[in-house]
Amino acid sequence: MKPSYHIAVLPGDGIGKEVMQAAEQVLGQVAERVGVSFRLDYQQAGAQHYVDSGVALPADTLKVCEQADAILFGAMGLPHVRGADGTEIIPQLDLRFHFDLYAGVRPIRTFKGLPTPLASPKASEIDFVLVRESTEGLFYARGRGDVRGDDEVYDTMKITRTGTARICEFAFKLAERRALLKGRPARVTNVDKANVFASMAFWRRIFEESAARHPGVASDSAYVDAMALNLVMKPWAYDVMVTENMFGDILSDLIAALVGGMGMAPSADIGDRHALFQPAHGTAPDIAGQGKANPTAMILSAAMMLDWLGDRHGDTRLSDGAALMDAAVQQVFASGAVRPMEFGGVNGTADITQAVMNALRQVR
Ligand code: ATP
């Protein structure tokens, strides 16, 4: 067990800064409760930093991230700040590639006490994880677009055996871990478009090879268009889902909507040596600076960080801390103590953070 955990903290732009303050407060309290120490090392990066300095992700920031035990990330990007090719400044993509954070982990579940857009009572059973391949797929084309005059543009989808096998293995291992924790059968659903693209037929073949290595885990495959339908019709039917980068990008917003809002969806970007934890939402320029942001996704992302660190360092204090944060968040909404503005309530960042801190004192 380490005496102190070094966390590189990149608040970023817009509401990233606001929700990071909330996470810092909650982390401080949980650290005291379980007896661990965090060294939060704040670093510059983002679209505003690009405007101020000409660099979105400074070398010094990268170095600190390299040395840290984990990276905690708010949100980055501002719609009006763009590079020469017209695309937004998105350092989180550079971090994913730089640290080979190949597994985008997006857990989603409904919260007692908060409404969901789905009418079925089964919506209360939604509890699954979307695993997104994050280093290749169609995002490989970023910065490599083949622009031919003013008539044609080509973006290339890259699917490799190594990249696909490691993300499928990750998904199967995650399903096995969840089955142990939740006492229910493990299942992995592969999402592709194998009926149309050679790259996706190849992806499916690698998925099936991985499935054969995990006979104890049920597995199946679906086309991404059918999955878009199923995620609205019966999202409670899934456990772990694995998919290509671009499909994962789109479906992760869809699944955040299933639980009522972006402010409830945490995420992690995990590699073999490094990991970054950030809310699934962006910088939300429409509400930035008004204290309206829901910090729950950021707080739950910090809880995922504790869980990952606990597992990696064999430190049960951290896993206990993660479970306490999770229980506190659940209690806050189940009790009706607060209702976030994105759910039509009156509570903003400060109220929700305070409510989670109060609940943290009570949960066991
Ligand atoms: P990106 O391209 O980085 O995903 P975006 O602008 O497409 O960013 P978000 O920044 O996530 O998307 O915002 C989408 C919508 O969700 C906005 O209306 C925003 O106000 C809302 N939203 C996002 N995060 C939160 C939050 N934490 N609390 C409340 N509302 C949020």
Side-chain angles (χ1 to χ4, degrees), residues 82-153:
R82 297 192 177 248
D85 65 351
T87 60
E88 276 188 48
I89 304 292
I90 317 177
Q92 53 271 44
L93 292 184
D94 300 312
L95 285 162
R96 270 180 213 157
F97 284 95
H98 183 86
F99 291 114
D100 201 20
L101 307 176
Y102 59 86
V105 182
R106 312 272 189 275
I108 211 81
R109 72 198 149 154
T110 30
F111 289 81
K112 249 192 214 138
L114 288 180
T116 97
L118 301 181
S120 169
K122 285 186 84 67
S124 64
E125 294 169 26
I126 295 173
D127 180 3
F128 66 91
V129 185
L130 176 79
V131 176
R132 162 188 177 185
E133 201 296 317
S134 298
T135 52
E136 41 189 52
L138 192 53
F139 275 71
Y140 167 78
R142 179 173 173 251
R144 294 188 175 90
D146 177 4
V147 182
R148 302 189 186 169
D150 205 25
D151 292 318
E152 292 174 33
V153 182

Coordinates of all heavy atoms in Angstrom, one line a residue, residues 82-153:
R82 N -10.7 26.5 -32.6 CA -10.5 25.4 -33.6 C -9.1 25.4 -34.2 O -8.5 26.5 -34.2 CB -11.5 25.5 -34.7 CG -12.9 25.2 -34.1 CD -13.9 25.0 -35.2 NE -15.2 24.8 -34.5 CZ -15.8 23.6 -34.5 NH1 -15.4 22.6 -35.1 NH2 -17.0 23.5 -33.8
G83 N -8.6 24.3 -34.6 CA -7.3 24.2 -35.3 C -7.5 24.6 -36.7 O -8.6 24.9 -37.2
A84 N -6.3 24.6 -37.4 CA -6.3 25.1 -38.8 C -7.2 24.3 -39.7 O -7.8 24.8 -40.7 CB -4.9 25.0 -39.4
D85 N -7.4 22.9 -39.4 CA -8.3 22.1 -40.3 C -9.8 22.2 -39.9 O -10.6 21.4 -40.5 CB -7.8 20.7 -40.3 CG -8.0 20.0 -38.9 OD1 -8.3 20.7 -37.9 OD2 -7.8 18.8 -38.8
G86 N -10.1 23.1 -39.0 CA -11.5 23.3 -38.7 C -12.0 22.4 -37.5 O -13.2 22.5 -37.1
T87 N -11.2 21.5 -37.0 CA -11.6 20.6 -36.0 C -11.4 21.2 -34.6 O -10.5 22.1 -34.5 CB -10.9 19.2 -36.0 OG1 -9.5 19.4 -35.9 CG2 -11.2 18.5 -37.3
E88 N -12.1 20.8 -33.6 CA -12.0 21.3 -32.3 C -10.7 20.9 -31.6 O -10.1 19.9 -32.0 CB -13.1 20.9 -31.4 CG -14.4 21.7 -31.5 CD -15.5 21.4 -30.5 OE1 -15.1 21.3 -29.3 OE2 -16.6 21.3 -30.9
I89 N -10.3 21.7 -30.6 CA -9.1 21.3 -29.8 C -9.5 20.3 -28.8 O -10.3 20.6 -27.9 CB -8.5 22.6 -29.1 CG1 -8.3 23.7 -30.1 CG2 -7.3 22.3 -28.2 CD1 -7.1 23.5 -31.0
I90 N -9.1 19.0 -28.9 CA -9.6 18.0 -28.0 C -8.4 17.2 -27.4 O -8.1 16.1 -27.9 CB -10.5 17.0 -28.8 CG1 -11.5 17.8 -29.7 CG2 -11.3 16.1 -27.8 CD1 -12.4 16.9 -30.5
P91 N -7.7 17.8 -26.4 CA -6.5 17.1 -25.9 C -6.8 15.7 -25.3 O -5.9 14.9 -25.2 CB -6.0 18.0 -24.8 CG -6.7 19.3 -25.0 CD -8.0 19.0 -25.7
Q92 N -8.1 15.4 -24.9 CA -8.4 14.1 -24.4 C -8.1 13.0 -25.4 O -7.7 11.9 -25.0 CB -9.8 14.0 -23.8 CG -10.9 14.4 -24.7 CD -11.3 15.9 -24.6 OE1 -10.4 16.7 -24.6 NE2 -12.5 16.2 -24.6
L93 N -8.3 13.3 -26.7 CA -8.0 12.3 -27.7 C -6.5 12.1 -27.8 O -6.0 11.0 -27.9 CB -8.5 12.7 -29.0 CG -10.0 12.8 -29.2 CD1 -10.5 13.1 -30.6 CD2 -10.6 11.4 -28.8
D94 N -5.7 13.2 -27.6 CA -4.2 13.1 -27.7 C -3.7 12.2 -26.5 O -2.8 11.4 -26.6 CB -3.6 14.4 -27.6 CG -4.0 15.3 -28.8 OD1 -3.9 14.7 -30.0 OD2 -4.4 16.4 -28.7
L95 N -4.4 12.5 -25.3 CA -4.0 11.7 -24.1 C -4.3 10.2 -24.3 O -3.5 9.3 -24.0 CB -4.7 12.2 -22.9 CG -4.2 13.5 -22.3 CD1 -5.3 14.2 -21.4 CD2 -2.9 13.3 -21.5
R96 N -5.4 9.9 -24.9 CA -5.8 8.5 -25.2 C -4.7 7.8 -26.0 O -4.3 6.7 -25.8 CB -7.1 8.4 -25.9 CG -8.3 8.3 -25.0 CD -9.6 8.3 -25.8 NE -10.6 9.0 -25.0 CZ -11.7 9.5 -25.5 NH1 -12.0 9.4 -26.7 NH2 -12.6 10.1 -24.7
F97 N -4.3 8.5 -27.1 CA -3.3 7.9 -28.0 C -1.9 7.9 -27.3 O -1.2 6.9 -27.4 CB -3.3 8.7 -29.3 CG -4.5 8.3 -30.2 CD1 -5.6 9.1 -30.2 CD2 -4.5 7.2 -31.0 CE1 -6.7 8.8 -31.0 CE2 -5.6 6.8 -31.7 CZ -6.7 7.6 -31.7
H98 N -1.6 9.0 -26.7 CA -0.2 9.1 -26.0 C 0.0 8.0 -25.0 O 1.0 7.3 -25.0 CB 0.0 10.4 -25.4 CG 1.3 10.6 -24.8 ND1 2.4 11.1 -25.6 CD2 1.8 10.4 -23.6 CE1 3.5 11.1 -24.8 NE2 3.2 10.7 -23.6
F99 N -1.0 7.7 -24.2 CA -0.9 6.8 -23.1 C -1.5 5.4 -23.4 O -1.6 4.5 -22.6 CB -1.5 7.3 -21.8 CG -0.7 8.4 -21.2 CD1 -1.3 9.7 -21.1 CD2 0.5 8.2 -20.7 CE1 -0.6 10.8 -20.6 CE2 1.3 9.3 -20.1 CZ 0.7 10.6 -20.1
D100 N -1.9 5.3 -24.7 CA -2.5 4.0 -25.2 C -3.6 3.5 -24.3 O -3.7 2.4 -23.8 CB -1.4 2.9 -25.2 CG -1.7 1.8 -26.2 OD1 -2.6 2.0 -27.0 OD2 -1.2 0.7 -26.0
L101 N -4.5 4.5 -24.0 CA -5.7 4.2 -23.2 C -6.8 3.6 -24.1 O -7.7 4.2 -24.6 CB -6.2 5.5 -22.5 CG -5.1 6.3 -21.7 CD1 -5.7 7.6 -21.2 CD2 -4.6 5.5 -20.6
Y102 N -6.6 2.3 -24.3 CA -7.4 1.6 -25.3 C -8.9 1.3 -24.9 O -9.7 1.1 -25.8 CB -6.7 0.4 -25.9 CG -6.4 -0.7 -24.8 CD1 -7.4 -1.6 -24.5 CD2 -5.2 -0.7 -24.2 CE1 -7.1 -2.6 -23.6 CE2 -4.9 -1.7 -23.2 CZ -5.9 -2.6 -23.0 OH -5.6 -3.6 -22.0
A103 N -9.1 1.2 -23.6 CA -10.5 0.8 -23.2 C -11.3 2.0 -22.6 O -11.0 2.5 -21.6 CB -10.4 -0.3 -22.1
G104 N -12.3 2.4 -23.4 CA -13.2 3.5 -22.9 C -14.3 2.7 -22.2 O -15.1 2.0 -22.8
V105 N -14.4 3.0 -20.9 CA -15.4 2.2 -20.0 C -16.5 3.2 -19.6 O -16.2 4.2 -19.0 CB -14.7 1.7 -18.8 CG1 -15.6 0.9 -17.9 CG2 -13.5 0.8 -19.2
R106 N -17.7 2.9 -20.0 CA -18.8 3.8 -19.8 C -19.9 3.0 -19.0 O -20.8 2.4 -19.7 CB -19.4 4.3 -21.1 CG -18.4 4.9 -22.1 CD -18.2 6.3 -21.7 NE -17.4 7.0 -22.8 CZ -16.1 7.0 -22.8 NH1 -15.4 6.3 -21.9 NH2 -15.5 7.6 -23.8
P107 N -19.9 2.9 -17.7 CA -21.0 2.2 -17.0 C -22.3 3.1 -17.0 O -22.2 4.3 -17.0 CB -20.4 2.1 -15.6 CG -19.3 3.1 -15.5 CD -19.0 3.6 -16.8
I108 N -23.4 2.4 -17.1 CA -24.6 3.1 -17.0 C -25.7 2.4 -16.2 O -25.8 1.2 -16.3 CB -25.1 3.4 -18.5 CG1 -25.9 4.7 -18.6 CG2 -25.9 2.3 -19.1 CD1 -25.0 5.9 -18.7
R109 N -26.4 3.1 -15.4 CA -27.5 2.5 -14.6 C -28.4 3.6 -14.2 O -28.1 4.7 -14.1 CB -26.9 1.7 -13.4 CG -26.4 2.7 -12.4 CD -25.5 2.1 -11.4 NE -24.7 3.2 -11.0 CZ -24.1 3.3 -9.8 NH1 -24.1 2.3 -9.0 NH2 -23.4 4.3 -9.5
T110 N -29.6 3.2 -13.9 CA -30.6 4.1 -13.4 C -30.5 4.4 -11.9 O -30.0 3.5 -11.2 CB -32.0 3.7 -13.8 OG1 -32.1 2.3 -13.7 CG2 -32.5 4.1 -15.1
F111 N -30.9 5.6 -11.5 CA -30.8 5.9 -10.1 C -32.2 6.0 -9.5 O -33.0 6.7 -10.1 CB -30.0 7.3 -10.0 CG -28.6 7.2 -10.3 CD1 -28.2 7.2 -11.6 CD2 -27.6 7.1 -9.3 CE1 -26.8 7.1 -11.9 CE2 -26.3 6.9 -9.6 CZ -25.9 7.0 -10.9
K112 N -32.3 5.3 -8.4 CA -33.6 5.5 -7.7 C -33.9 6.9 -7.3 O -32.9 7.6 -6.9 CB -33.5 4.7 -6.4 CG -34.4 3.5 -6.4 CD -34.5 2.9 -5.0 CE -34.6 1.4 -5.1 NZ -33.9 0.6 -4.2
G113 N -35.1 7.4 -7.6 CA -35.4 8.8 -7.2 C -35.3 9.7 -8.4 O -35.7 10.9 -8.2
L114 N -34.6 9.3 -9.5 CA -34.5 10.2 -10.6 C -35.3 9.6 -11.8 O -35.3 8.4 -12.0 CB -33.1 10.4 -11.1 CG -32.2 11.2 -10.1 CD1 -30.8 11.3 -10.7 CD2 -32.8 12.6 -10.0
P115 N -36.0 10.4 -12.5 CA -36.8 9.9 -13.7 C -35.9 9.5 -14.8 O -34.8 10.0 -15.0 CB -37.7 11.1 -14.1 CG -36.9 12.3 -13.6 CD -36.1 11.9 -12.4
T116 N -36.4 8.5 -15.6 CA -35.7 8.2 -16.9 C -36.6 8.5 -18.0 O -37.9 8.5 -17.8 CB -35.3 6.7 -17.0 OG1 -36.2 6.0 -17.7 CG2 -35.1 6.1 -15.6
P117 N -36.1 8.7 -19.2 CA -37.0 9.0 -20.3 C -37.8 7.8 -20.8 O -38.7 7.9 -21.6 CB -36.1 9.5 -21.4 CG -34.7 9.3 -21.0 CD -34.7 8.8 -19.6
L118 N -37.5 6.6 -20.2 CA -38.2 5.4 -20.7 C -39.4 5.1 -19.8 O -39.3 5.2 -18.5 CB -37.2 4.2 -20.6 CG -36.0 4.3 -21.5 CD1 -35.2 3.0 -21.4 CD2 -36.4 4.5 -23.0
A119 N -40.5 4.8 -20.4 CA -41.7 4.6 -19.6 C -41.8 3.2 -18.8 O -42.4 3.1 -17.8 CB -43.0 4.7 -20.5
S120 N -41.1 2.2 -19.4 CA -41.2 0.9 -18.8 C -40.6 0.8 -17.4 O -39.6 1.4 -17.1 CB -40.4 -0.1 -19.7 OG -40.3 -1.3 -19.0
P121 N -41.4 0.1 -16.5 CA -40.8 -0.1 -15.1 C -39.5 -0.8 -15.1 O -38.7 -0.7 -14.1 CB -41.9 -0.9 -14.4 CG -42.9 -1.3 -15.4 CD -42.7 -0.5 -16.7
K122 N -39.2 -1.6 -16.2 CA -38.0 -2.3 -16.2 C -36.8 -1.4 -16.4 O -35.6 -1.8 -16.2 CB -38.0 -3.3 -17.4 CG -38.8 -4.5 -17.1 CD -38.7 -5.6 -18.1 CE -37.6 -6.5 -18.0 NZ -37.6 -7.4 -16.8
A123 N -37.0 -0.1 -16.6 CA -35.9 0.9 -16.8 C -35.1 1.0 -15.5 O -33.9 1.3 -15.5 CB -36.5 2.3 -17.2
S124 N -35.8 0.6 -14.4 CA -35.0 0.7 -13.1 C -34.0 -0.4 -13.0 O -33.1 -0.4 -12.1 CB -36.0 0.5 -11.9 OG -36.6 -0.7 -12.0
E125 N -34.0 -1.4 -13.9 CA -33.0 -2.5 -13.9 C -31.8 -2.2 -14.8 O -30.9 -3.0 -14.9 CB -33.7 -3.8 -14.4 CG -34.8 -4.3 -13.4 CD -35.6 -5.4 -14.1 OE1 -35.1 -6.1 -15.0 OE2 -36.7 -5.5 -13.7
I126 N -31.8 -1.0 -15.4 CA -30.7 -0.8 -16.4 C -29.4 -0.7 -15.6 O -29.2 0.0 -14.6 CB -30.9 0.6 -17.1 CG1 -32.1 0.5 -18.0 CG2 -29.6 1.0 -17.9 CD1 -32.4 1.9 -18.6
D127 N -28.4 -1.6 -16.0 CA -27.1 -1.6 -15.3 C -26.2 -2.4 -16.2 O -26.1 -3.6 -16.2 CB -27.3 -2.4 -14.0 CG -26.0 -2.5 -13.2 OD1 -24.9 -2.0 -13.7 OD2 -26.0 -3.1 -12.1
F128 N -25.5 -1.7 -17.1 CA -24.5 -2.3 -18.0 C -23.4 -1.4 -18.2 O -23.3 -0.2 -17.8 CB -25.2 -2.7 -19.3 CG -25.7 -1.6 -20.2 CD1 -24.9 -1.0 -21.2 CD2 -27.0 -1.1 -20.0 CE1 -25.3 0.0 -22.0 CE2 -27.4 -0.1 -20.8 CZ -26.6 0.5 -21.8
V129 N -22.3 -1.9 -18.9 CA -21.1 -1.2 -19.2 C -20.9 -1.2 -20.7 O -20.8 -2.3 -21.3 CB -19.9 -1.7 -18.5 CG1 -18.7 -0.8 -18.7 CG2 -20.2 -1.8 -17.0
L130 N -20.7 -0.1 -21.3 CA -20.2 0.0 -22.7 C -18.7 0.1 -22.7 O -18.2 1.0 -22.1 CB -20.9 1.2 -23.4 CG -20.4 1.4 -24.9 CD1 -21.2 0.5 -25.8 CD2 -20.7 2.9 -25.3
V131 N -18.1 -0.8 -23.4 CA -16.6 -0.7 -23.6 C -16.3 -0.3 -25.0 O -16.6 -1.0 -25.9 CB -16.0 -2.1 -23.2 CG1 -14.5 -2.1 -23.4 CG2 -16.3 -2.5 -21.8
R132 N -15.6 0.8 -25.1 CA -15.3 1.4 -26.4 C -13.9 1.3 -26.8 O -13.0 1.7 -26.0 CB -15.8 2.8 -26.4 CG -15.2 3.7 -27.5 CD -15.6 5.2 -27.2 NE -15.0 6.0 -28.2 CZ -15.1 7.4 -28.2 NH1 -15.7 8.0 -27.2 NH2 -14.5 8.1 -29.1
E133 N -13.5 0.7 -27.9 CA -12.1 0.7 -28.3 C -11.7 2.1 -28.6 O -12.4 2.8 -29.3 CB -11.9 -0.2 -29.6 CG -10.5 -0.7 -29.8 CD -9.5 0.4 -30.1 OE1 -9.9 1.4 -30.8 OE2 -8.4 0.4 -29.5
S134 N -10.6 2.6 -28.0 CA -10.4 4.0 -28.1 C -9.1 4.5 -28.8 O -8.7 5.6 -28.7 CB -10.3 4.6 -26.7 OG -11.6 4.4 -26.0
T135 N -8.4 3.5 -29.4 CA -7.1 4.0 -30.1 C -7.1 3.7 -31.6 O -6.1 4.2 -32.2 CB -5.9 3.2 -29.4 OG1 -6.2 1.8 -29.5 CG2 -5.7 3.6 -28.0
E136 N -8.1 3.1 -32.1 CA -8.1 2.9 -33.6 C -9.5 3.1 -34.1 O -10.1 4.1 -33.9 CB -7.4 1.6 -34.0 CG -7.7 0.3 -33.2 CD -6.8 -0.9 -33.5 OE1 -5.6 -0.8 -33.6 OE2 -7.4 -1.9 -33.8
G137 N -10.0 2.2 -34.9 CA -11.3 2.4 -35.5 C -11.3 3.6 -36.4 O -10.3 4.0 -37.0
L138 N -12.5 4.3 -36.5 CA -12.6 5.4 -37.4 C -11.8 6.7 -36.9 O -11.4 7.5 -37.6 CB -14.0 5.8 -37.7 CG -14.3 6.7 -38.8 CD1 -13.7 6.3 -40.2 CD2 -15.8 6.9 -39.1
F139 N -11.6 6.7 -35.6 CA -10.9 7.8 -35.0 C -9.4 7.8 -35.4 O -8.7 8.8 -35.2 CB -11.0 7.8 -33.5 CG -12.3 8.5 -33.0 CD1 -13.5 8.0 -33.2 CD2 -12.2 9.8 -32.4 CE1 -14.7 8.6 -32.8 CE2 -13.3 10.4 -31.9 CZ -14.6 9.8 -32.1
Y140 N -8.9 6.7 -35.9 CA -7.6 6.6 -36.5 C -7.4 7.7 -37.5 O -6.3 8.2 -37.7 CB -7.3 5.2 -37.0 CG -6.1 5.2 -37.9 CD1 -4.8 5.1 -37.3 CD2 -6.2 5.2 -39.3 CE1 -3.7 5.0 -38.1 CE2 -5.0 5.1 -40.1 CZ -3.8 5.0 -39.4 OH -2.6 5.0 -40.2
A141 N -8.5 8.0 -38.2 CA -8.4 9.0 -39.3 C -8.2 10.4 -38.8 O -7.9 11.3 -39.6 CB -9.7 9.0 -40.1
R142 N -8.4 10.7 -37.5 CA -8.2 12.0 -37.0 C -6.8 12.6 -37.4 O -5.8 12.0 -37.1 CB -8.4 12.0 -35.5 CG -8.2 13.4 -34.9 CD -8.6 13.4 -33.4 NE -8.3 14.7 -32.8 CZ -7.3 14.9 -31.9 NH1 -6.6 13.9 -31.5 NH2 -7.2 16.1 -31.4
G143 N -6.8 13.7 -38.0 CA -5.5 14.4 -38.4 C -4.9 13.7 -39.7 O -3.9 14.1 -40.1
R144 N -5.6 12.7 -40.2 CA -5.0 12.0 -41.4 C -6.0 12.0 -42.6 O -5.8 11.3 -43.5 CB -4.8 10.5 -41.1 CG -3.8 10.2 -40.0 CD -3.5 8.7 -40.0 NE -2.4 8.4 -39.1 CZ -2.6 8.1 -37.8 NH1 -3.8 8.1 -37.2 NH2 -1.5 7.8 -37.0
G145 N -7.0 12.8 -42.5 CA -8.0 12.9 -43.6 C -7.4 13.2 -44.9 O -6.5 14.0 -45.0
D146 N -7.7 12.4 -45.9 CA -7.2 12.5 -47.2 C -8.1 13.4 -48.1 O -9.1 12.9 -48.6 CB -7.1 11.1 -47.8 CG -6.5 11.1 -49.3 OD1 -6.2 12.2 -49.8 OD2 -6.5 10.0 -49.9
V147 N -7.7 14.7 -48.1 CA -8.6 15.7 -48.8 C -8.1 15.9 -50.2 O -7.0 16.3 -50.4 CB -8.5 17.0 -48.0 CG1 -9.4 18.1 -48.7 CG2 -8.9 16.8 -46.5
R148 N -9.0 15.5 -51.2 CA -8.6 15.6 -52.6 C -9.3 16.8 -53.2 O -10.5 16.7 -53.6 CB -8.8 14.3 -53.3 CG -8.1 13.2 -52.6 CD -8.1 11.9 -53.4 NE -7.5 10.9 -52.7 CZ -7.6 9.6 -53.0 NH1 -8.2 9.2 -54.1 NH2 -7.0 8.7 -52.2
G149 N -8.6 17.9 -53.2 CA -9.2 19.1 -53.8 C -10.4 19.5 -53.0 O -10.5 19.3 -51.8
D150 N -11.4 20.0 -53.8 CA -12.7 20.4 -53.1 C -13.8 19.4 -53.4 O -15.0 19.7 -53.3 CB -13.1 21.8 -53.5 CG -13.9 22.5 -52.5 OD1 -13.8 22.1 -51.3 OD2 -14.7 23.4 -52.8
D151 N -13.4 18.2 -53.8 CA -14.4 17.2 -54.3 C -14.5 15.9 -53.5 O -15.6 15.4 -53.3 CB -14.1 16.8 -55.7 CG -14.3 17.9 -56.7 OD1 -15.2 18.6 -56.6 OD2 -13.4 18.1 -57.6
E152 N -13.4 15.4 -52.9 CA -13.5 14.2 -52.2 C -12.6 14.2 -51.0 O -11.5 14.8 -51.0 CB -12.9 13.1 -53.1 CG -13.7 12.7 -54.4 CD -13.0 11.7 -55.3 OE1 -12.3 10.9 -54.7 OE2 -13.2 11.9 -56.5
V153 N -13.1 13.5 -49.9 CA -12.4 13.4 -48.7 C -12.5 11.9 -48.2 O -13.6 11.4 -48.3 CB -12.9 14.3 -47.6 CG1 -12.0 14.2 -46.3 CG2 -12.9 15.8 -48.1

